[in-house]
Amino acid sequence: MDEANSIKLTGADVRLVCEKLTQQGWGSARLALGMLEGTQISSVKASPVRRATIAGVYGLRRDALADSVQQTFDLDRFVEEMSERSEDFVLLFSVHLPSYRFVCVLSAEEAGPIGSTAVKGAGGDPFTHAVGEIGRLSFQEAKLRCQNLMAGGWESAAIALQGLTEAEPETVPIWLAGPKTLAREYSQRAQEHVELNRHGQSLDMNRFAQKMQSIQEATVCIFHVIDAYGWQCTGALTKDLAQPIASVAVKR
């Protein structure tokens, strides 16, 4: 799933989404609805993002704001929802509000609302500009990171390398994520997908979760490769992008 799967929402669409989420008890949507009243907003784009990436990024933000809960609406619930759902991709859009940034996730299949959060004084959202990228690796740099991981015995990196080689992207986007959140995400998925592991439908999932759990830094950088055969690969790098840490691959 890529930018071709993005959808545009009018101001009326955004208000309707907020109304539906308000009815489901999302205080952030109620806040947005009130602040948007009487306001003209241009269309916004809801772009496809990996659900696990949202869980990782906003889990990091939740942990950073643990002592300032008055600055957030629904952040715990939002991270929990993103961590527990099963779909690989969702649609995400954000709207600037006075003093807050409102972030909302829709179902990629039905475009129905899933959840939302609002963070006070959050500054730039991690998913602005090409769905949240905080930087880019060149095609050659991404291939080299995969090759280094392969040398360390990460089988999933071979899938990622093959996907990069076939697609030949000019650059690869990079996101920030919390390693502990990624550890929980993939540890749970490993437990749920024992049958997948048995039939070769995932690679390095347990090892990836264990590696993320062992990392002491608050953040890592991640990139994704999705190949034409249904493999979804995630690579983790140090924050300076210089060193590969781990990788994982799951067959859809």
Side-chain angles (χ1 to χ4, degrees):
M1 185 172 287
D2 54 29
E3 282 293 299
N5 299 101
S6 299
I7 63 172
K8 282 191 175 182
L9 302 174
T10 66
D13 293 330
V14 172
R15 289 182 177 85
L16 181 59
V17 166
C18 289
E19 288 174 358
K20 290 181 178 179
L21 287 172
T22 296
Q23 292 171 3
Q24 297 171 18
W26 291 85
S28 52
R30 183 179 296 107
L31 173 72
L33 196 59
M35 290 186 172
L36 290 172
E37 187 174 354
T39 302
Q40 294 292 328
I41 62 173
S42 58
S43 63
V44 300
K45 183 171 72 171
S47 300
V49 184
R50 282 185 61 87
R51 176 192 53 78
T53 298
I54 298 176
V57 170
Y58 283 91
L60 172 66
R61 177 158 288 174
R62 176 198 58 193
D63 296 342
L65 295 172
D67 297 327
S68 305
V69 292
Q70 71 276 9
Q71 297 185 23
T72 70
F73 285 81
D74 298 323
L75 191 51
D76 282 340
R77 183 181 177 187
F78 185 73
V79 173
E80 182 178 355
E81 188 74 23
M82 290 299 97
S83 299
E84 292 182 352
R85 294 185 70 89
S86 60
E87 57 263 71
D88 292 313
F89 284 88
V90 292
L91 297 174
L92 181 143
F93 73 87
S94 64
V95 178
H96 283 289
L97 302 173
S99 302
Y100 284 90
R101 174 175 285 276
F102 175 69
V103 177
C104 183
V105 169
L106 312 175
S107 166
E109 295 183 358
E110 302 171 356
I114 294 174
S116 63
T117 186
V119 180
K120 187 174 184 178
D125 183 77
F127 294 103
T128 56
H129 305 302
V131 202
E133 64 176 63
I134 56 99
R136 283 181 175 261
L137 281 178
S138 71
F139 171 54
Q140 292 300 328
E141 288 173 328
K143 286 181 63 178
L144 180 59
R145 302 300 181 272
C146 291
Q147 289 167 348
N148 290 342
L149 285 168
M150 289 170 61
W154 294 88
E155 296 179 77
S156 53
I159 301 293
L161 179 62
Q162 184 65 27
L164 285 170
T165 302
E166 293 179 357
E168 293 191 350
E170 191 170 317
T171 58
V172 178
I174 299 294
W175 291 267
L176 277 178
K180 294 299 187 288
T181 302
L182 291 172
R184 289 193 297 269
E185 165 79 19
Y186 283 98
S187 177
Q188 181 178 352
R189 291 183 71 176
Q191 294 174 11
E192 294 174 350
H193 295 119
V194 172
E195 290 301 320
L196 291 181
N197 293 329
R198 187 176 299 164
H199 292 95
Q201 298 296 292
S202 70
L203 294 170
D204 298 322
M205 194 178 285
N206 275 310
R207 187 183 178 190
F208 183 85
Q210 291 168 5
K211 187 66 176 180
M212 291 298 102
Q213 186 63 43
S214 70
I215 293 174
Q216 299 303 312
E217 289 81 1
T219 59
V220 294
C221 289
I222 59 174
F223 67 92
H224 302 301
V225 178
I226 303 173
D227 72 10
Y229 311 101
W231 282 100
Q232 299 179 355
C233 309
T234 297
L237 311 172
T238 53
K239 285 182 66 176
D240 61 4
L241 307 182
Q243 299 297 326
I245 300 172
S247 62
V248 62
V250 181
K251 187 73 175 292
R252 296 170 68 181

